[in-house]
Amino acid sequence: MRSAPAERQAELFELLAVTYQACSASLAKLGEPDAAWIAADRAIGAAERAGSPLLMAAGAFPLGFVFLGARHFDQVEETARTAAEALWFPTDQGSVEAMSLWGGLTLQRAVAASRINQADMTYEHLSRAREMAARVGEGRNDYNTEFGPANVALHEVAVAVEVGDAGHALRVGAAVDTSTLSAERRARLAIDLARAHAQRRQVDEAVTQLLEAESITPEQVRNHRIVRQLTSDLLSMQDQASTELRELAERVGA
Protein backbone atom coordinates (compact mmCIF):
# COMPACT_ATOMS: atom_id res chain seq x y z
CA MET A 1 0.00 0.00 0.00
CA ARG A 2 1.32 3.40 -0.96
CA SER A 3 1.85 5.83 1.88
CA ALA A 4 0.17 9.23 1.84
CA PRO A 5 2.22 12.20 0.57
CA ALA A 6 4.15 14.03 3.27
CA GLU A 7 1.79 17.03 3.16
CA ARG A 8 -1.23 14.77 3.55
CA GLN A 9 0.45 12.91 6.42
CA ALA A 10 1.01 16.18 8.24
CA GLU A 11 -2.70 17.02 7.85
CA LEU A 12 -3.69 13.61 9.20
CA PHE A 13 -1.42 13.94 12.21
CA GLU A 14 -2.83 17.42 12.89
CA LEU A 15 -6.33 15.96 12.87
CA LEU A 16 -5.20 13.15 15.16
CA ALA A 17 -3.64 15.64 17.56
CA VAL A 18 -6.84 17.70 17.75
CA THR A 19 -8.88 14.54 18.33
CA TYR A 20 -6.64 13.40 21.17
CA GLN A 21 -6.80 16.90 22.72
CA ALA A 22 -10.60 16.77 22.75
CA CYS A 23 -10.51 13.27 24.25
CA SER A 24 -8.11 14.39 26.96
CA ALA A 25 -10.29 17.34 27.95
CA SER A 26 -13.42 15.18 28.07
CA LEU A 27 -11.76 12.42 30.06
CA ALA A 28 -10.42 14.91 32.58
CA LYS A 29 -13.93 16.29 33.12
CA LEU A 30 -15.23 12.74 33.60
CA GLY A 31 -12.72 12.13 36.39
CA GLU A 32 -10.46 9.78 34.40
CA PRO A 33 -7.03 11.38 34.93
CA ASP A 34 -4.97 8.40 33.80
CA ALA A 35 -6.80 8.08 30.49
CA ALA A 36 -6.75 11.87 30.04
CA TRP A 37 -3.00 11.85 30.63
CA ILE A 38 -2.49 9.20 27.93
CA ALA A 39 -4.68 11.08 25.45
CA ALA A 40 -2.83 14.36 26.08
CA ASP A 41 0.54 12.68 25.67
CA ARG A 42 -0.58 11.14 22.38
CA ALA A 43 -1.85 14.53 21.23
CA ILE A 44 1.61 15.99 21.76
CA GLY A 45 3.20 13.08 19.93
CA ALA A 46 0.86 13.45 16.96
CA ALA A 47 1.50 17.21 16.86
CA GLU A 48 5.25 16.59 16.83
CA ARG A 49 4.89 14.24 13.87
CA ALA A 50 2.77 16.89 12.15
CA GLY A 51 5.58 19.37 12.66
CA SER A 52 3.30 21.87 14.41
CA PRO A 53 4.77 23.74 17.42
CA LEU A 54 1.38 25.33 18.09
CA LEU A 55 -0.37 21.98 18.25
CA MET A 56 2.37 20.64 20.53
CA ALA A 57 1.72 23.52 22.93
CA ALA A 58 -2.01 22.97 22.54
CA GLY A 59 -1.46 19.36 23.60
CA ALA A 60 0.38 20.51 26.71
CA PHE A 61 -2.59 22.69 27.68
CA PRO A 62 -5.04 19.84 28.57
CA LEU A 63 -2.14 17.94 30.11
CA GLY A 64 -1.74 20.82 32.55
CA PHE A 65 -5.34 20.36 33.71
CA VAL A 66 -4.72 16.65 34.24
CA PHE A 67 -1.72 17.44 36.43
CA LEU A 68 -3.69 20.08 38.34
CA GLY A 69 -6.45 17.57 39.04
CA ALA A 70 -3.90 15.03 40.23
CA ARG A 71 -2.20 17.68 42.41
CA HIS A 72 1.11 17.24 40.57
CA PHE A 73 1.87 20.93 40.76
CA ASP A 74 5.56 20.63 39.95
CA GLN A 75 4.63 18.87 36.70
CA VAL A 76 2.11 21.60 35.88
CA GLU A 77 4.87 24.18 36.22
CA GLU A 78 7.39 22.19 34.18
CA THR A 79 4.96 21.28 31.39
CA ALA A 80 3.44 24.75 31.07
CA ARG A 81 6.79 26.54 31.32
CA THR A 82 8.43 24.39 28.65
CA ALA A 83 5.50 24.73 26.27
CA ALA A 84 5.25 28.49 26.86
CA GLU A 85 8.94 29.02 26.19
CA ALA A 86 8.57 27.25 22.84
CA LEU A 87 5.91 29.80 21.87
CA TRP A 88 8.01 32.92 22.26
CA PHE A 89 9.04 33.11 18.59
CA PRO A 90 5.53 32.86 17.08
CA THR A 91 4.28 35.17 19.83
CA ASP A 92 6.90 37.77 18.96
CA GLN A 93 5.89 37.39 15.31
CA GLY A 94 2.34 38.41 16.22
CA SER A 95 0.56 35.05 16.14
CA VAL A 96 -2.60 35.57 18.19
CA GLU A 97 -3.07 31.79 18.46
CA ALA A 98 0.39 31.53 20.04
CA MET A 99 -0.40 34.41 22.39
CA SER A 100 -3.58 32.67 23.52
CA LEU A 101 -1.78 29.41 24.17
CA TRP A 102 1.04 31.20 25.99
CA GLY A 103 -1.51 33.02 28.11
CA GLY A 104 -3.47 29.88 28.93
CA LEU A 105 -0.31 28.05 29.95
CA THR A 106 0.80 30.99 32.09
CA LEU A 107 -2.55 30.96 33.88
CA GLN A 108 -2.01 27.27 34.64
CA ARG A 109 1.33 28.21 36.20
CA ALA A 110 -0.46 30.81 38.31
CA VAL A 111 -2.97 28.26 39.56
CA ALA A 112 -0.24 25.73 40.36
CA ALA A 113 1.71 28.34 42.31
CA SER A 114 -1.39 29.34 44.27
CA ARG A 115 -2.06 25.73 45.27
CA ILE A 116 1.31 25.61 47.05
CA ASN A 117 0.87 29.07 48.59
CA GLN A 118 3.44 30.85 46.45
CA ALA A 119 1.49 34.11 46.37
CA ASP A 120 4.24 36.28 44.88
CA MET A 121 4.84 33.85 42.01
CA THR A 122 1.09 33.49 41.51
CA TYR A 123 0.54 37.21 41.01
CA GLU A 124 3.65 37.51 38.84
CA HIS A 125 2.22 34.94 36.43
CA LEU A 126 -1.13 36.73 36.53
CA SER A 127 0.48 40.06 35.72
CA ARG A 128 2.26 38.62 32.68
CA ALA A 129 -0.93 36.90 31.52
CA ARG A 130 -2.87 40.14 31.91
CA GLU A 131 -0.41 41.97 29.66
CA MET A 132 -0.72 39.28 27.00
CA ALA A 133 -4.51 39.26 27.29
CA ALA A 134 -4.59 42.97 26.49
CA ARG A 135 -2.89 42.14 23.17
CA VAL A 136 -5.25 39.24 22.42
CA GLY A 137 -8.52 40.97 23.33
CA GLU A 138 -11.90 39.43 24.08
CA GLY A 139 -14.06 37.02 22.15
CA ARG A 140 -11.45 34.45 21.07
CA ASN A 141 -11.20 30.78 21.92
CA ASP A 142 -7.97 29.62 20.30
CA TYR A 143 -7.34 25.94 21.05
CA ASN A 144 -10.13 26.01 23.68
CA THR A 145 -8.17 28.37 25.93
CA GLU A 146 -10.84 31.13 26.02
CA PHE A 147 -7.86 33.35 26.76
CA GLY A 148 -8.50 37.06 27.11
CA PRO A 149 -8.96 39.76 29.78
CA ALA A 150 -12.12 38.18 31.22
CA ASN A 151 -10.51 34.78 31.62
CA VAL A 152 -7.50 36.33 33.33
CA ALA A 153 -9.88 38.03 35.78
CA LEU A 154 -11.62 34.71 36.37
CA HIS A 155 -8.29 33.11 37.25
CA GLU A 156 -7.40 36.07 39.45
CA VAL A 157 -10.52 35.33 41.49
CA ALA A 158 -9.63 31.63 41.70
CA VAL A 159 -6.05 32.12 42.84
CA ALA A 160 -7.04 34.85 45.32
CA VAL A 161 -9.33 32.30 46.94
CA GLU A 162 -6.55 29.72 46.97
CA VAL A 163 -4.16 32.06 48.82
CA GLY A 164 -6.90 33.17 51.23
CA ASP A 165 -7.47 36.69 49.91
CA ALA A 166 -11.27 36.60 49.85
CA GLY A 167 -11.62 40.37 49.72
CA HIS A 168 -9.55 40.65 46.55
CA ALA A 169 -11.44 37.75 44.97
CA LEU A 170 -14.79 39.42 45.62
CA ARG A 171 -13.64 42.81 44.33
CA VAL A 172 -12.31 41.35 41.08
CA GLY A 173 -15.32 39.08 40.66
CA ALA A 174 -17.76 41.95 41.02
CA ALA A 175 -16.11 43.83 38.16
CA VAL A 176 -15.50 41.09 35.60
CA ASP A 177 -17.65 40.91 32.45
CA THR A 178 -18.29 37.21 31.80
CA SER A 179 -20.42 37.67 28.68
CA THR A 180 -17.64 36.37 26.41
CA LEU A 181 -16.96 33.25 28.49
CA SER A 182 -18.43 29.77 28.14
CA ALA A 183 -21.11 28.52 30.52
CA GLU A 184 -18.54 26.27 32.18
CA ARG A 185 -16.21 29.18 32.94
CA ARG A 186 -19.06 31.40 34.16
CA ALA A 187 -20.22 28.68 36.53
CA ARG A 188 -16.69 28.20 37.79
CA LEU A 189 -16.47 31.90 38.60
CA ALA A 190 -19.66 31.67 40.66
CA ILE A 191 -18.24 28.68 42.54
CA ASP A 192 -15.05 30.57 43.34
CA LEU A 193 -17.03 33.57 44.52
CA ALA A 194 -19.00 31.23 46.77
CA ARG A 195 -15.72 29.96 48.20
CA ALA A 196 -14.64 33.55 48.86
CA HIS A 197 -17.87 34.30 50.70
CA ALA A 198 -17.44 31.09 52.70
CA GLN A 199 -13.98 32.23 53.80
CA ARG A 200 -15.76 35.26 55.29
CA ARG A 201 -18.50 33.02 56.75
CA GLN A 202 -21.08 34.79 54.58
CA VAL A 203 -23.29 31.76 54.17
CA ASP A 204 -26.29 33.32 52.44
CA GLU A 205 -24.10 35.04 49.86
CA ALA A 206 -22.19 31.80 49.24
CA VAL A 207 -25.42 29.88 48.71
CA THR A 208 -26.63 32.53 46.25
CA GLN A 209 -23.47 32.08 44.18
CA LEU A 210 -23.76 28.29 44.24
CA LEU A 211 -27.35 28.49 43.07
CA GLU A 212 -26.23 30.82 40.30
CA ALA A 213 -23.59 28.29 39.24
CA GLU A 214 -26.16 25.50 39.34
CA SER A 215 -28.53 27.49 37.12
CA ILE A 216 -25.75 27.82 34.52
CA THR A 217 -24.37 24.26 34.47
CA PRO A 218 -26.48 21.96 36.70
CA GLU A 219 -24.58 18.74 35.99
CA GLN A 220 -21.17 20.29 36.50
CA VAL A 221 -22.18 21.73 39.86
CA ARG A 222 -24.00 18.65 41.17
CA ASN A 223 -21.02 16.41 40.42
CA HIS A 224 -18.29 18.82 41.53
CA ARG A 225 -16.12 17.68 44.43
CA ILE A 226 -15.37 21.24 45.53
CA VAL A 227 -19.07 22.17 45.53
CA ARG A 228 -19.88 19.13 47.65
CA GLN A 229 -17.19 19.98 50.20
CA LEU A 230 -18.10 23.67 50.20
CA THR A 231 -21.78 22.88 50.78
CA SER A 232 -20.86 20.66 53.72
CA ASP A 233 -18.77 23.48 55.16
CA LEU A 234 -21.65 25.92 54.79
CA LEU A 235 -23.99 23.53 56.59
CA SER A 236 -21.59 23.45 59.54
CA MET A 237 -21.55 27.25 59.76
CA GLN A 238 -25.25 27.56 60.60
CA ASP A 239 -27.18 26.16 63.55
CA GLN A 240 -30.30 26.16 61.41
CA ALA A 241 -29.50 25.90 57.71
CA SER A 242 -31.79 27.66 55.26
CA THR A 243 -34.18 25.72 53.08
CA GLU A 244 -32.16 26.67 49.99
CA LEU A 245 -28.95 25.32 51.51
CA ARG A 246 -30.54 22.07 52.70
CA GLU A 247 -32.05 21.44 49.28
CA LEU A 248 -28.77 22.25 47.55
CA ALA A 249 -26.95 19.87 49.89
CA GLU A 250 -29.36 17.12 48.95
CA ARG A 251 -28.85 17.72 45.24
CA VAL A 252 -25.05 17.67 45.43
CA GLY A 253 -24.86 14.81 47.92
CA ALA A 254 -23.31 16.83 50.75
Side-chain angles (χ1 to χ4, degrees), residues 48-101:
E48 185 175 12
R49 296 189 69 178
S52 173
L54 281 179
L55 275 179
M56 290 178 65
F61 185 65
L63 187 58
F65 287 118
V66 174
F67 288 146
L68 281 171
R71 302 184 65 81
H72 296 162
F73 303 127
D74 56 337
Q75 290 176 292
V76 177
E77 166 61 22
E78 178 62 21
T79 300
R81 180 187 60 78
T82 301
E85 286 176 352
L87 291 170
W88 267 119
F89 179 74
T91 296
D92 286 345
Q93 295 299 304
S95 168
V96 181
E97 292 85 356
M99 294 179 197
S100 294
L101 279 169

Side-chain angles (χ1 to χ4, degrees), residues 18-36:
V18 172
T19 302
Y20 274 130
Q21 288 168 21
C23 288
S24 178
S26 297
L27 288 165
K29 291 177 183 178
L30 291 171
E32 298 289 345
D34 292 339

Side-chain angles (χ1 to χ4, degrees), residues 77-212:
E77 166 61 22
E78 178 62 21
T79 300
R81 180 187 60 78
T82 301
E85 286 176 352
L87 291 170
W88 267 119
F89 179 74
T91 296
D92 286 345
Q93 295 299 304
S95 168
V96 181
E97 292 85 356
M99 294 179 197
S100 294
L101 279 169
W102 185 94
L105 292 162
T106 301
L107 289 176
Q108 288 185 344
R109 298 176 71 186
V111 173
S114 73
R115 298 279 175 85
I116 54 176
N117 295 316
Q118 293 183 346
D120 290 344
M121 185 61 68
T122 295
Y123 286 114
E124 180 180 336
H125 288 318
L126 273 176
S127 177
R128 298 175 69 197
R130 191 180 299 110
E131 292 175 1
M132 189 66 77
R135 296 175 63 187
V136 172
E138 296 285 15
R140 298 186 65 93
N141 187 23
D142 299 299
Y143 297 102
N144 294 316
T145 59
E146 291 191 59
F147 184 72
N151 200 13
V152 172
L154 182 151
H155 279 78
E156 187 168 358
V157 171
V159 299
V161 172
E162 291 291 344
V163 300
D165 194 350
H168 184 68
L170 293 172
R171 286 191 298 273
V172 174
V176 62
D177 177 6
T178 62
S179 61
T180 61
L181 297 177
S182 65
E184 181 181 350
R185 300 288 175 96
R186 287 186 282 115
R188 182 60 206 228
L189 174 62
I191 292 169
D192 286 330
L193 290 174
R195 295 169 66 203
H197 282 299
Q199 289 179 358
R200 291 187 158 192
R201 303 187 69 82
Q202 296 170 333
V203 177
D204 291 342
E205 291 85 347
V207 172
T208 297
Q209 289 294 336
L210 288 176
L211 293 176
E212 171 68 15

Side-chain angles (χ1 to χ4, degrees), residues 198 201 203 228-241 245 249 254:
R201 303 187 69 82
V203 177
R228 190 174 300 114
Q229 181 59 56
L230 177 57
T231 305
S232 295
D233 293 343
L234 293 173
L235 286 169
S236 70
M237 293 179 190
Q238 289 187 326
D239 293 332
Q240 182 62 43
L245 178 54

